[in-house]
Amino acid sequence: MIELVWLIPLFPAIGFLFNGLIARWFNLDKRIVGWVACSALGLSFLFSILIFFSLVQLAPEARVAVPDRILFDWIVSGDLKTVIGYKVDPLSIIMALVVSGVSFFIHIYSVGYMHDDSGYTRYFAYLNLFVFMMLTLVLANNFLLMFVGWEGVGLCSYLLIGFWFERDTPANAGKKAFVVNRVGDFGFLLAIFLIFVHLGTLEFNGVFAGAHSLDAVTVTIITLLLFVGATGKSAQIPLYVWLPDAMEGPTPVSSLIHAATMVTSGVYMIARCNILYSMAPVSMAVVAIVGAATAIYAASMGLLQFDIKRVLAYSTISQLGYMFLAVGVGAFSAGIFHLMTHAFFKGLLFLGAGSVMHAMSGELDMRKMGGIWKRAPITFWTFFVATLAIAGIPGFSGFFSKDEILWQAFDSTHGHVLLWLVGAAAAGMTAFYMFRLLFVTFFGRCRASEEVKKHIHESPPIMTIPLIILATLSLIGGYVGIPHVLGGRNFFHEFLHPVFGGHPEGAGHAAFSLVKPAFASGGAGMGGGDSKELLLMGVSVAIAVIGISIALYLYIWKTEIPKRLGERFKTLYTVVFNKYYVDELYEASFVNSTKRLGTFLWHRFDDGVIDRGVNLVADVMLWLGGVLRRIQTGRVQGYATGIILGAVIIILFLIR
Amino acid sequence: MLSSVPPIYFLIVSAVIFAIGAVGVLIRRNAIVIFMCIEMMFSAVNLTLITASHHLNSLDGVLMVFFVMTVAAAEAAVGLAIFVLLFRGRGTIKVDEINLLKW
Amino acid sequence: MTAGSVFYWIIFILTALTAIGAAVMVITRRNPIHSAMFLVLNFLCIAVLYLLLNAQFIAIVQVMIYAGAIMMLVIFVIMLLSVEEEKRQRPMRLSPAQVMGLVLVLILFAQLIYGVAIAVLPGDLGEFSPERIARVGDVKTVAGLLFTKFLFPFEVASILLLVGIIGAVILSKKER
């Protein structure tokens, strides 16, 4: 069964080809397109589940030793040999499950959401292509194939953000996303080059086996460059600017690409390279600091936005910061855990936002909403579940994952109290702005126009069923990772342990109190680790509750206060509201100078040198022709002289 | 009758006649005279071939000369026809006045 | 030196000098008819040289075709075109291009002499010694070779002559 892993990315690829070529050529009916796209994903998901169960049946040590499934040699040139191969181990199969599963539900949702759009076929073709690329990324067994998937998802992101390219804003947003991603990809590429130069191979097995031969500086540089790639793809400081603009795309796209899957590739990549990162504590620290900083920075911007999708976008950036914080302190499985739960609740939040927009006839501004919880109940309740999850309320999935991250930030050998503090503050802000979103959108007096008010309705079942499924997952998805301290057995962590536990520092983290059997935890050098953890857990829950209460106060009870606060702290408000003017800063510094460089090169080099060079060649030919034609004198005796000259020369060679 | 003159003398004679023919081609302006000089060069080459053939006890050279003569005859016929046409067209057969095919 | 070889030498020298003299005359006479006459003399001398070289068949063919047919054609055309004598020009004016041509011919001549004087005539002796030829006669031997080993060139030559005839006829037609 495991050797059929190559089918998982294949089905969406076939779906893409079918929808992109055949369906568009023959203008097939929308139902066929929808069925093909969704069943491709369904088959992918099915196979992921089957392979997951095959993997589970192996012993834990054997799970990481499954031989890579190699399809064929891709590049064989000199010293470089790369293959098209897929790796099946706990990490990749979990990613495959998350990607194919969430994509499957979002595909079903899109059938309803995009029903009236003229680009229906194109949409599903691109969406299938995206899933194909993403699955290639997570299942690849070497850096180069992973990079192919990496670039591929960037491409699909561009195509889907700029889906309504006839309008300027989406087109520009797509370009921005692609270019910013490219900057990050450059770092990734440099890292790949370095890896190849030093280790001679690009396959994961080979690289990680030989990693110990690298010196500290090289490993640090490689990991930092890889992290640059991750910041681009996963929207961390300083390359996060594309994600808020990416909300111009269709909402299911935002849900799939910019919440659940593509933006998590950076986290996956760092988790996959955990051996390299464990050898470079400096890089880990950088990752953790950037992650924490991004978490709180993005959360601050989410406090004041009133476009639903913008709030969710900043929330995504913030939660990605948490994931990077987790891998930065060495808690790789915690990062992946949060990746999974985040995919559930954030994906759900975006789909819910889409449902709200559907109900409010395309309105996005929360100030023009309100009081719709009764008229769109399924949307409301699923949104509520997701909000509880993201806020970290106990019992919901987000609680378990976020809490594990905060605990590791505090307690692990790579962690620091400050990191925990920043994370906790950001958690509070998250709870606050998410509930602000919930309250303003669903509660209170309805501030919409009369026209819109009349049409408020629940979405059709094809859209609400995925909402319900994702809500269920947001609720129970966390129970695979109940920390030991609460009496559970962290299945998730156990499952991923072989992948992350194979190195000294990793062993230190992985062998944390969470996995040890109950009786060995006492006094094993952790000294009161359990009680500390419970304490911190309580603190984070308290912070969340405080945040919710403040939101309740400001947006349900005394709704005139926010405006007055805004007046009093006008400058601060303006700065934060305008996203700290970062976009303008980038434009002035990078964008304009690049444009000027480009224009300069165009005029001086492209026109001046290259065009002139080509013209020069033509002119030389013309001149040469003008000179040579004088040989044609028309006088026969001149030609005879030439013949005799030729004869002289030839005989010269013959009699030597 | 076996020749007791070493071949080199025949070859020298042939070279001299060839060179004189070449000079004639370059000096004279009358097209027909130039043609005659070319025939002289042919003839000199034939002499070389026969010399070689004789002194190598072979008949290959003799037969080559046979074919050279054939070609020369055909060429003479066609070439003189062209001269006649040229004279009809231009009124002269001085080669330096027939120079339209120039740049 | 036997009497035969002395005779031989005398004939050779006389004929060679006459041939060279005739050649010089060809290129220097102003009247084209004179040039043609001297060319005939040159051909006849060459024919004698062929006889000295035991190539009787070729000697006769030379007289018949070169000295006979071709020169007759040439003289006909000269008379047909009623070419004038070239004007007497003293001293002879040679353009620079012609001077360069002369120099080249001189170099060519030097190379040829060098080639024959220094290089030995290479090649193995063939099978047609004069005795062998004398057994059946020169013409018969040549014919035997012509229709066996050189059959293909023979056929091609006949086509060539055909082409020549057709060409000459077409070229001389008057425009209608």
Side-chain angles (χ1 to χ4, degrees), chain A residues 629-630 632-634 637 641, chain B residues 25-26 28 98-99 102-103:
Chain A
R629 70 176 176 160
R630 283 163 214 276
Q632 296 246 294
T633 54
Q637 285 169 325
T641 314
Chain B
V25 165
L26 294 176
R28 300 298 301 254
I98 306 175
N99 57 359
K102 64 175 179 179
W103 69 272

Side-chain angles (χ1 to χ4, degrees), chain A residues 294-451:
Chain A
T294 310
I296 198 165
Y297 173 70
S300 69
M301 290 194 282
L303 291 173
L304 299 175
Q305 298 291 322
F306 40 75
D307 178 335
I308 306 184
K309 288 178 72 172
R310 291 287 150 112
V311 176
L312 293 176
Y314 286 112
S315 163
T316 306
I317 302 178
S318 178
Q319 296 300 309
L320 288 168
Y322 272 107
M323 295 181 218
F324 279 103
L325 174 61
V327 297
V329 299
F332 297 103
S333 60
I336 300 292
F337 188 27
H338 196 60
L339 193 158
M340 185 174 86
T341 58
H342 177 262
F344 298 147
F345 55 69
K346 191 49 69 60
L348 172 58
L349 282 169
F350 269 106
L351 293 186
S355 192
V356 166
M357 285 165 61
H358 187 88
M360 303 294 283
S361 316
E363 182 57 67
L364 270 177
D365 191 336
M366 18 182 216
R367 298 173 295 188
K368 300 207 183 86
M369 300 185 190
I372 59 177
W373 69 279
K374 277 228 192 75
R375 300 177 64 174
I378 304 184
T379 310
F380 167 67
W381 283 106
T382 51
F383 204 90
F384 186 44
V385 167
T387 318
L388 286 172
I390 196 175
I393 300 298
F396 294 84
S397 56
F399 165 69
F400 296 109
S401 55
K402 196 183 280 199
D403 230 70
E404 194 173 333
I405 295 178
L406 288 176
W407 165 238
Q408 296 285 10
F410 183 83
D411 197 71
S412 93
T413 49
H414 287 284
H416 196 279
V417 159
L418 272 180
L419 288 174
W420 174 85
L421 209 56
V422 168
M429 291 160 85
T430 307
F432 170 72
Y433 68 69
M434 285 310 299
F435 270 90
R436 165 181 176 259
L437 176 63
L438 185 75
F439 291 145
V440 174
T441 310
F442 289 99
F443 287 102
R445 178 181 55 84
C446 186
R447 299 173 291 277
S449 70
E450 281 309 314
E451 249 323 290

